[in-house]
Amino acid sequence: MTTSPWLAHAAVLLFYLSRASCLDTFVAAVYEHAVILPSITLTPVSHEDALALMNRNLDLLEGAITSAAEQGARIIVTPEDALYGWNFNRESIYPYLEDIPHPQVNWIPCDNPNRFGHTPVQERLSCLAKDNSIYVVANMGDKKPCNASDPQCPHDGRYQYNTDVAFDSQGKLVARYHKQNLFMGEEQFDAPKEPEVVTFNTTFGSFGIFTCFDILFHDPAVTLVKDFHVDTILFPTAWMNVLPHLSAVEFHSAWAMGMRVNFLASNIHYPSKKMTGSGIYAPNSPRAFHYDMKTQQGKLLLSQLDSHPSHSVVVNWTSYASSIESLSTGNQEFKGIAFFDEFTFVELTGVAGNYTVCQKDLFCHLSYKMSEKRSDEVYALGAFDGLHTVEGRYYLQICTLLKCKMTGLNTCGDSVETASTRFEMFSLSGTFRTQYVFPEVLLSETKLAPGEFQVSTDGRLFSLKPTSGPVLTVTLFGRLYEKDWVSNASSGLTAQARRIVLIVIAPIVYSLSW
């Protein structure tokens, strides 16, 4: 995507002018919603039946929005797919869609609901924002007609978009974003022809918005922060947790830290599909987060954030790792699979030590000390430098300290949720060839470790104190966006992994959209 220099400069100018009369802090809210699903999703229902289901979900969202406003929240984010769920085809999603105009039309649906046709969902969201004097961010479906003069027009004569909308505290539509990076299986929706960069300004900061799977790609996610300098990202998502590196609270908090931006993540609550994990994340630490695989209840989170977090910290992610000698201990390297990517690992055999492991151009260095070396747990240091190609195509460089699922080394990289080993200290670094590195620390039972670690300007992820719980993983997750589509980039997917992709992934795509 090419962003107009004039547009970017204008956005930055408005961004700085808006600070003259703004609040230093604000209260944000996110709601993890236990969605009510339709009984039939592949056969079209009537518009009346579709609206009835969406109103049942809106009833639950209304309770969260009202409660958030009563507790002083200025803005609330609700999840992707919150109104109707997933598992649709193009025909069966259609009764749930509305025509969503561009915010330039200056429209308050609550005051003028029929201006753009029949728009009951937009009317209700607008009224919820207006009646509670709160910004409301929601996800819904948009429809746009097209004809044969457009060579990309779908066969049914319309575009259908997975869409985020935002209404201000007066009920006015201020943002509309069409999801760019559709997750495999989202065949009911179209991607826009060009990535959309959507921002809006408030008295408590500037905001950008994108959806779920978008977070793994450059556009529009990185562009919003790097070129448009937004303060806070709004992130509706229907995210299925994938350990060891892509659990929702783990990766979303890491993205906030790596990009130096506030991040409001609102996830669907559907534990049977491993969908849980919402949070309010500041650049330096999580402020509130929720992960619940045990109940079927939704959850409202609130926390105070700085309106304008500092973007001034610059990290040279290869500085430290490039300046030291390899910390080789002579341990034999071995291969292991983490989410279909083949890592190079070395086992941590002692209660403390210094290790180096490398793959291609990536050298990963680790210094650590465990509280004790247990005989029933194995940890390893791993490196991956390659192209991930399963549910998407994205180039990764990853340095990771992780717990193996069992004591056999062939389980290193497998998904594991509990551990018993605490670490007195750790320091992890790598020779990354990217400035986009996201630091993750995940403890047993998928808990974060706020205030227990930090990143130095020379690229080290290190502990500030002994960990408060047993460690699942300490990871530096790097993205080389420019190599996503390089023809000679080698895939990290092994032949063995390719054979089992359909077995593991196929049931997921049918029942999940990222």
Side-chain angles (χ1 to χ4, degrees):
M1 182 192 73
T2 57
T3 303
S4 164
W6 181 90
L7 182 61
H9 292 156
V12 172
L13 178 60
L14 288 173
F15 161 71
Y16 284 110
L17 289 175
S18 67
R19 292 194 173 195
S21 60
C22 68
L23 303 173
D24 291 332
T25 63
F26 70 102
V27 176
V30 301
Y31 180 56
E32 181 161 307
H33 172 53
V35 61
I36 303 170
L37 299 176
S39 56
I40 300 175
T41 57
L42 299 182
T43 301
V45 299
S46 68
H47 287 284
E48 291 75 17
D49 287 346
L51 181 58
L53 176 78
M54 289 191 287
N55 275 323
R56 292 176 64 195
N57 280 299
L58 282 165
D59 289 343
L60 297 175
L61 299 188
E62 179 175 353
I65 291 167
T66 301
S67 178
E70 290 173 347
Q71 297 178 69
R74 296 266 179 172
I75 189 168
I76 182 171
V77 183
T78 61
E80 180 186 27
D81 296 337
L83 300 185
Y84 41 69
W86 46 90
N87 279 6
F88 293 96
N89 56 34
R90 286 190 66 84
E91 292 72 29
S92 63
I93 192 65
Y94 184 70
Y96 297 86
L97 309 181
E98 292 185 2
D99 187 354
I100 306 172
H102 193 284
Q104 289 178 342
V105 299
N106 192 28
W107 180 41
I108 299 177
C110 189
D111 295 344
N112 190 0
N114 298 316
R115 181 179 169 190
F116 295 98
H118 188 56
T119 55
V121 172
Q122 292 172 83
E123 177 186 0
R124 187 166 182 188
L125 290 168
S126 171
C127 290
L128 285 172
K130 181 179 180 180
D131 294 346
N132 292 283
S133 298
I134 187 174
Y135 280 72
V136 172
V137 179
N139 178 266
M140 59 185 296
D142 187 14
K143 58 183 179 182
K144 291 288 179 283
C146 57
N147 55 48
S149 65
D150 177 359
Q152 298 182 40
C153 182
H155 66 88
D156 50 17
R158 61 180 182 265
Y159 289 106
Q160 300 180 168
Y161 298 113
N162 180 333
T163 307
D164 299 327
V165 291
F167 297 89
D168 70 11
S169 55
Q170 302 301 311
K172 185 171 73 172
L173 178 68
V174 293
R176 181 198 69 188
Y177 168 70
H178 295 141
K179 183 179 180 181
Q180 178 65 36
N181 299 287
L182 299 174
F183 187 64
M184 59 188 299
E186 278 191 278
E187 296 176 355
Q188 69 270 36
F189 292 120
D190 302 294
K193 296 175 182 178
E194 293 290 336
E196 300 174 355
V197 180
V198 175
T199 67
F200 61 92
N201 293 313
T202 73
T203 58
F204 48 95
S206 61
F207 291 79
I209 189 167
F210 57 83
T211 313
C212 206
F213 202 40
D214 284 329
I215 196 174
L216 283 167
F217 302 91
H218 188 277
D219 297 321
V222 173
T223 297
L224 283 166
V225 180
K226 186 169 77 73
D227 296 336
F228 287 77
H229 306 283
V230 297
D231 298 304
T232 301
I233 292 295
L234 308 170
F235 186 67
T237 185
W239 188 281
M240 185 191 70
N241 294 297
V242 180
L243 291 169
H245 302 130
L246 287 172
S247 176
V249 297
E250 171 190 29
F251 187 65
H252 303 160
S253 61
W255 203 91
M257 178 173 283
M259 297 302 296
R260 305 296 305 170
V261 69
N262 293 329
F263 196 88
L264 308 184
S266 172
N267 199 4
I268 285 288
H269 188 78
Y270 204 79
S272 65
K273 298 297 182 187
K274 298 185 178 180
M275 298 167 77
T276 180
S278 301
I280 300 172
Y281 309 113
N284 60 344
S285 183
R287 297 296 174 86
F289 64 94
H290 176 69
Y291 178 90
D292 171 23
M293 287 290 291
K294 297 178 181 179
T295 78
Q296 303 300 317
Q297 303 301 313
K299 179 70 173 180
L300 176 66
L301 300 176
L302 295 98
S303 186
Q304 182 171 283
L305 289 170
D306 292 334
S307 298
H308 308 291
S310 173
H311 300 286
S312 60
V313 178
V314 177
V315 177
N316 183 333
W317 285 105
T318 195
S319 177
Y320 179 80
S322 298
S323 68
I324 63 174
E325 297 291 331
S326 294
L327 307 174
S328 177
T329 60
N331 285 18
Q332 185 173 0
E333 294 180 348
F334 61 96
K335 303 296 183 181
I337 304 297
F339 195 37
F340 303 107
D341 295 324
E342 187 176 72
F343 280 67
T344 302
F345 284 112
V346 61
E347 182 185 357
L348 309 187
T349 57
V351 68
N354 302 293
Y355 289 83
T356 295
V357 67
C358 60
Q359 187 177 108
K360 297 180 184 176
D361 296 331
L362 179 64
F363 287 73
C364 301
H365 304 299
L366 172 69
S367 297
Y368 74 94
K369 181 180 180 182
M370 300 175 182
S371 298
E372 61 174 329
K373 182 68 177 75
R374 298 174 59 99
S375 60
D376 60 345
E377 291 194 328
V378 169
Y379 283 80
L381 172 66
F384 176 72
D385 185 350
L387 186 67
H388 178 89
T389 59
V390 180
E391 84 303 347
R393 183 183 174 96
Y394 43 93
Y395 199 101
L396 303 172
Q397 284 191 318
I398 298 175
C399 292
T400 184
L401 154 67
L402 54 75
K403 183 204 168 187
C404 305
K405 187 172 185 177
M406 294 182 286
T407 55
L409 296 184
N410 62 330
T411 68
C412 295
D414 289 355
S415 175
V416 57
E417 298 180 357
T418 59
S420 299
T421 301
R422 298 171 187 253
F423 279 67
E424 293 293 318
M425 64 80 62
F426 58 79
S427 176
L428 179 66
S429 62
T431 56
F432 293 94
R433 290 177 289 114
T434 177
Q435 62 179 306
Y436 300 109
V437 179
F438 309 111
E440 304 178 342
V441 176
L442 191 66
L443 305 181
S444 183
E445 298 181 338
T446 314
K447 295 179 180 178
L448 300 180
E452 298 181 23
F453 66 94
Q454 72 180 44
V455 171
S456 62
T457 56
D458 62 2
R460 286 172 293 145
L461 168 57
F462 64 93
S463 56
L464 296 173
K465 60 181 74 170
T467 60
S468 59
V471 170
L472 290 181
T473 180
V474 175
T475 301
L476 291 171
F477 189 102
R479 277 288 283 116
L480 279 72
Y481 302 105
E482 68 278 9
K483 295 192 70 173
D484 287 356
W485 295 100
V486 175
S487 60
N488 62 354
S490 61
S491 169
L493 186 64
T494 65
Q496 177 188 7
R498 289 183 191 278
R499 287 194 294 269
I500 62 176
V501 165
L502 291 179
I503 298 174
V504 177
I505 292 293
I508 295 173
V509 274
Y510 182 73
S511 59
L512 173 69
S513 64
W514 272 17

